[in-house]
Amino acid sequence: MTEAPAQDRGARSRDAILDTAGELMARYGYAATSISMISSACGLPTSSLYWHFGSKDGIYVAVLQRSRTELLAALPPTEVPGADVTQRLDTFLAEVRGAFERHPHGLRLLLGLGMVQQDASAAAVAEVRQYRDALVVWARESVSAVFGLRDRPEVADELARFTLRTASGTAVARWFDPGIALETGPLRVALLALAAHHGVPVRGVPGEDAPSHGLTNRE
Amino acid sequence: MTEAPAQDRGARSRDAILDTAGELMARYGYAATSISMISSACGLPTSSLYWHFGSKDGIYVAVLQRSRTELLAALPPTEVPGADVTQRLDTFLAEVRGAFERHPHGLRLLLGLGMVQQDASAAAVAEVRQYRDALVVWARESVSAVFGLRDRPEVADELARFTLRTASGTAVARWFDPGIALETGPLRVALLALAAHHGVPVRGVPGEDAPSHGLTNRE
DNA sequence: GTCTATATTGGGATAGAC
DNA sequence: GTCTATCCCAATATAGAC
């Protein structure tokens, strides 16, 4: 048991490095996170970090890649089940809220590391953009499925942007107040109103209040 | 004319330092912006920076202070003129959009510098929070005036948070796409729907589409 | 794959002439 | 108030034993 299962040692160290690096970079940002911080936080010498990832930049790219993979896997599938719009919307929002809760690092990484431009390599910048793009595509397809917008791509775009802006803004607010959760209640009302505003058929038309499915999420 | 007007030299240098420091810190964040970067960008030696501000931290605090003052001065007053809700809302959103456009650094600074915690002094952290708090108070009072919510503070809180989340999220999106503007059109629809959802009397009740005042702001 | 030790650059900050 | 020159240290990165 103390004898590590053969060559797993390397993989476990790799994961440990990524864990602590992700944690620190999400908290302090890329530039403010030093190799020695990571090293002392995870217990491995700096040379091990370099052996595994080659450079600080390499660590950053690897952290982003893993975060992207995990977050996308945690996000609800773009084919949302449900009979009508409000049902699908509630399912969708509940899952988004859950993913946002369980993976607080994703957006933080994009925020803190997004400010790179200068010292980051081309690979790093590319990975940041890919992360962002993946979220945009996911959001567009999801709202498209929820509201049935296959033939109204501009509307799907607008709703997706709106959802992502809210999520990003909440991630920012979280810096000041770590306890803050994604407020799906107001977002729900807003998305339904926006859809209706564009003439998208919605059963629970605004005017009559939306039924509270226990999703109102006010403190 | 080449002879500087007496003792103004110092003040002009001070402003120049704050200008370039603000620019750089908004772009790269606090940690990634070095003294030498600022020095060579504004043409003054590092010793001048230290003479004026004492430390990198001092520069940061001064930048934040000035940005806060300027942004708050540029934001619309919390007493919004207008006969009915939609009129006041349109005025309000137009001014917010304008301020957001003309002062792109404010939120960027809060984002990039917000990630400080570790190397920033207590004064710096305090200034960040004061900046944030000032924006929160302004937003709350503004929406309160727009929607007439003096007796519904929780509703004013929710609308204010929602507005700020959207603005923050847009500031984040701007990192990837510098051209992006605050989308007041969807925000307008959302705020009206949220108000109506809470039973706040609104003349242009949702269901009948809101009149486009040329504010729809879709690309 | 992991360790100790180290090379080397660039960072923040200061001294002191002008 | 501004300049040149410099100190000190932390940061990235590498060498080579184990």
Side-chain angles (χ1 to χ4, degrees), chain A residues 27 32 111 114 117-118 128-129 132 158 161-162 165 169-170 172 175-176 183 186 193 197 209 218-219, chain B residues 27-28 32 111 114 117-118 128-129 132 158 161 165 169-170 172 175-176 183 186 193 197 209 218-219:
Chain A
R27 192 193 301 278
L111 299 193
Q117 283 178 322
Q118 68 156 0
V128 168
R129 294 204 95 85
R132 204 277 302 248
E158 181 176 303
R161 275 202 308 275
F162 198 84
R165 302 273 146 96
T170 304
V172 169
W175 186 85
F176 298 97
E183 298 194 56
H197 175 75
D209 275 357
R218 301 273 303 103
E219 56 268 78
Chain B
R27 193 194 299 280
Y28 301 118
L111 298 192
Q117 283 177 324
Q118 67 157 2
V128 168
R129 294 203 96 86
R132 204 277 302 248
E158 179 175 303
R161 275 202 310 274
R165 303 271 146 97
T170 304
V172 169
W175 184 86
F176 298 98
E183 299 194 56
H197 175 74
D209 275 358
R218 300 273 303 107
E219 54 269 78

Side-chain angles (χ1 to χ4, degrees), chain B residues 130-162:
Chain B
Q130 192 172 354
Y131 202 157
R132 204 277 302 248
D133 291 345
L135 287 179
V136 169
V137 167
W138 165 83
R140 192 156 44 207
E141 292 183 357
S142 293
V143 299
S144 190
V146 166
F147 287 96
L149 297 172
R150 256 178 298 275
D151 49 347
R152 306 278 311 271
E154 352 72 63
V155 177
D157 260 25
E158 179 175 303
L159 296 192
R161 275 202 310 274
F162 198 83

Side-chain angles (χ1 to χ4, degrees), chain A residues 108-191:
Chain A
R108 297 278 314 241
L109 284 170
L110 272 182
L111 299 193
L113 303 174
M115 303 251 169
V116 188
Q117 283 178 322
Q118 68 156 0
D119 29 22
S121 69
V125 173
E127 180 52 43
V128 168
R129 294 204 95 85
Q130 191 172 354
Y131 202 155
R132 204 277 302 248
D133 292 345
L135 287 179
V136 169
V137 167
W138 167 82
R140 193 154 45 208
E141 292 183 356
S142 293
V143 298
S144 189
V146 167
F147 288 95
L149 297 173
R150 255 178 299 274
D151 50 346
R152 307 277 313 268
E154 352 71 65
V155 177
D157 260 25
E158 181 176 303
L159 296 192
R161 275 202 308 275
F162 198 84
T163 305
L164 285 178
R165 302 273 146 96
T166 304
S168 310
T170 304
V172 169
R174 227 171 191 174
W175 186 85
F176 298 97
D177 252 297
I180 289 180
L182 183 64
E183 298 194 56
T184 50
L187 181 56
R188 180 186 195 274
V189 174
L191 287 178

Side-chain angles (χ1 to χ4, degrees), chain B residues 180-192:
Chain B
I180 288 179
L182 183 64
E183 299 194 56
T184 50
L187 180 55
R188 180 187 196 275
V189 174
L191 287 178
L192 284 172

Side-chain angles (χ1 to χ4, degrees), chain B residues 27-65:
Chain B
R27 193 194 299 280
Y28 301 118
Y30 173 78
T33 302
S34 70
I35 298 283
S36 49
M37 281 171 64
I38 304 172
S39 164
S40 58
C42 74
L44 277 72
T46 67
S47 48
S48 282
L49 307 199
Y50 282 99
W51 188 89
H52 280 285
F53 302 102
S55 67
K56 182 181 177 183
D57 210 277
I59 299 180
Y60 160 36
V61 171
V63 165
L64 270 188
Q65 269 175 352

Side-chain angles (χ1 to χ4, degrees), chain B residues 112-129:
Chain B
L113 303 175
M115 302 253 171
V116 188
Q117 283 177 324
Q118 67 157 2
D119 28 24
S121 68
V125 174
E127 179 51 43
V128 168
R129 294 203 96 86

